Amino acid sequence: METPFATVSRHELWPNGWERVTRLPRPRLRAFVGEYEGYSQGTYSNLKMLEVPFAGVPLIISFGTEYNIVDSTGVSERRQTFVAGMQDSWVVVESGRESRGMQVNFTPIGARMFLGISMASITNRTIELEDVSGHSARYVVEQLQSAADWDARFDLLDRLIAARLDAATETPAPVLWAWNKLKASRGNISIGSIASELGYSHKHLISRFRDEIGLPPKTMARVLRFDRAVKIVRKGESVKNWLDVANDCGYFDQAHMIRDFHEFAGMTPAEFLARRFPSGGFDASTG
C-alpha cells in the first residue's frame, strides 16, 4: 500500500513563526479528500486570514484555538472545531497570537458523505463538528492532538474518514457524473449541455446539484475557474501578465476575471496577490 509523503514548510523565528505540513490521503480516499494540513503558527498580534471560495469543504480541527469568523456582510461567529460549507463570497478568520491544529480539505462529494447532511443546509455557513457528529468529535480531536507526530495524525485521519465513508450513502450517480464533468472542464462547460445529457430540466439539475454539492452548477463553475486563478497566485510567483492568467483559467477576458475577484475576494487580483503570506495564506488586516 502506497504511503504518501508529507511536505513541510516552516519559518522558525518565534513568536512570528509558522510550520505547515501537508499530505495527500491514501489513494482510495482521493476522490473524497484533496489534502490534509497540519499547522502551528505564532504572531505578534491576532492573525486575520482572508478565506475565499474554493472547490472544496474544509474541516478545521482545533488544538485549543478559537476562531472568530466574519463573513462579507459583517456577520460573525465563534468556532473551534468546525466545517465550513461551500462559499460564494469571502470570509475573514481571526485567531489569537498562537494557533495549532489541522485542516481536512474535503471534496464536495466527500463532505456530503462524511457529514451525512444536505450541503445546501451549510452553504455560506460554518457548523461545529460536534453538532454533526456528537460528543465523539471531542474524542477524535483529543486523539489527534495526543498523536506522536503529524504523520501519525494523518494516518489516523485516513482510518477515521475511511470508516465513515464506508458506512455512508453514496452520491446519486447523475449528480456525481455532473460534478465530474464540471470539475474535468475546470468550470468551462455549458450547464445546459450537462442537463441535456442527463435528460434533466435545468431546474431539476440545479435542485439536485445544490443539495449534494452546496452551490448551483453555474456558481460552482465560476468557483472552479476562480479557484484555479487563486492557485496561481498562491504559488507566490510574480504574476506579470494577468491576461494570461485569465485565459489560462477560462475567463472571457481580464475584465471577466476581475469581476469574479471582486465578488469572491472583495478586491482586484493584484490587490489579492499583494496580501499573500509566505506560508501561502492571505492577509485580511486593513492596517
Side-chain angles (χ1 to χ4, degrees):
M1 182 168 56
E2 176 189 340
T3 301
F5 291 99
T7 300
V8 181
S9 56
R10 62 169 61 94
H11 175 70
E12 295 179 338
L13 185 60
W14 211 258
N16 195 32
W18 50 267
E19 178 182 58
R20 181 173 180 265
V21 185
T22 59
R23 200 180 86 176
L24 294 175
R26 297 284 181 183
R28 67 180 291 253
L29 295 179
R30 291 179 192 173
F32 311 103
V33 179
E35 185 180 61
Y36 300 136
E37 177 182 343
Y39 60 87
S40 180
Q41 56 196 22
T43 57
Y44 293 111
S45 59
N46 287 2
L47 182 65
K48 291 185 178 182
M49 300 281 286
L50 180 68
E51 301 292 347
V52 296
F54 77 107
V57 177
L59 164 62
I60 309 300
I61 301 165
S62 170
F63 296 163
T65 305
E66 282 198 348
Y67 300 91
N68 187 47
I69 303 164
V70 184
D71 70 19
S72 58
T73 69
V75 175
S76 64
E77 300 175 305
R78 296 289 293 181
R79 294 286 184 251
Q80 193 161 10
T81 291
F82 64 95
V83 176
M86 294 294 301
Q87 300 170 236
D88 60 14
S89 191
W90 74 92
V91 300
V92 173
V93 180
E94 182 178 5
S95 59
R97 288 182 292 176
E98 293 187 20
S99 59
R100 189 164 179 263
M102 304 185 75
Q103 180 167 325
V104 180
N105 287 328
F106 284 103
T107 67
I109 296 296
R112 174 71 162 95
M113 293 176 65
F114 180 83
L115 297 172
I117 60 176
S118 164
M119 295 307 295
S121 70
I122 59 169
T123 298
N124 290 323
R125 292 183 54 211
T126 60
I127 183 170
E128 288 284 343
L129 182 61
E130 194 168 333
D131 291 340
V132 181
S133 301
H135 294 308
S136 64
R138 295 185 191 180
Y139 177 62
V140 168
V141 174
E142 290 170 0
Q143 280 186 297
L144 289 166
Q145 189 168 4
S146 62
D149 53 32
W150 290 118
D151 272 318
R153 295 181 183 110
F154 297 144
D155 289 342
L156 179 57
L157 282 174
D158 272 338
R159 295 193 296 273
L160 292 171
I161 292 171
R164 188 145 179 154
L165 293 180
D166 285 345
T169 301
E170 292 188 358
T171 303
V175 176
L176 181 60
W177 181 87
W179 162 248
N180 285 332
K181 289 282 284 189
L182 201 59
K183 182 177 64 171
S185 75
R186 297 172 177 169
N188 292 293
I189 187 173
S190 162
I191 306 305
S193 69
I194 292 177
S196 178
E197 286 192 59
L198 286 172
Y200 281 2
S201 69
H202 209 104
K203 184 177 180 180
H204 185 56
L205 173 63
I206 290 171
S207 175
R208 296 206 66 183
F209 198 91
R210 181 187 280 132
D211 183 60
E212 296 289 335
I213 304 297
L215 292 172
K218 186 175 181 179
T219 306
M220 190 69 239
R222 292 177 61 209
V223 168
L224 284 162
R225 290 193 296 267
F226 174 75
D227 191 18
R228 181 168 172 79
V230 170
K231 284 183 170 66
I232 292 172
V233 174
R234 198 181 292 275
K235 290 178 182 178
E237 300 169 358
S238 176
V239 178
K240 297 179 180 179
N241 190 327
W242 287 107
L243 180 58
D244 287 346
V245 175
N247 289 336
D248 184 52
C249 298
Y251 288 102
F252 296 124
D253 52 28
Q254 189 172 338
H256 183 204
M257 181 178 71
I258 290 172
R259 285 195 298 272
D260 269 6
F261 265 84
H262 273 293
E263 183 165 341
F264 291 146
M267 61 189 71
T268 67
E271 290 168 335
F272 189 69
L273 174 62
R275 289 173 175 264
R276 184 190 178 278
F277 284 125
S279 58
F282 295 92
D283 187 4
S285 302
T286 55

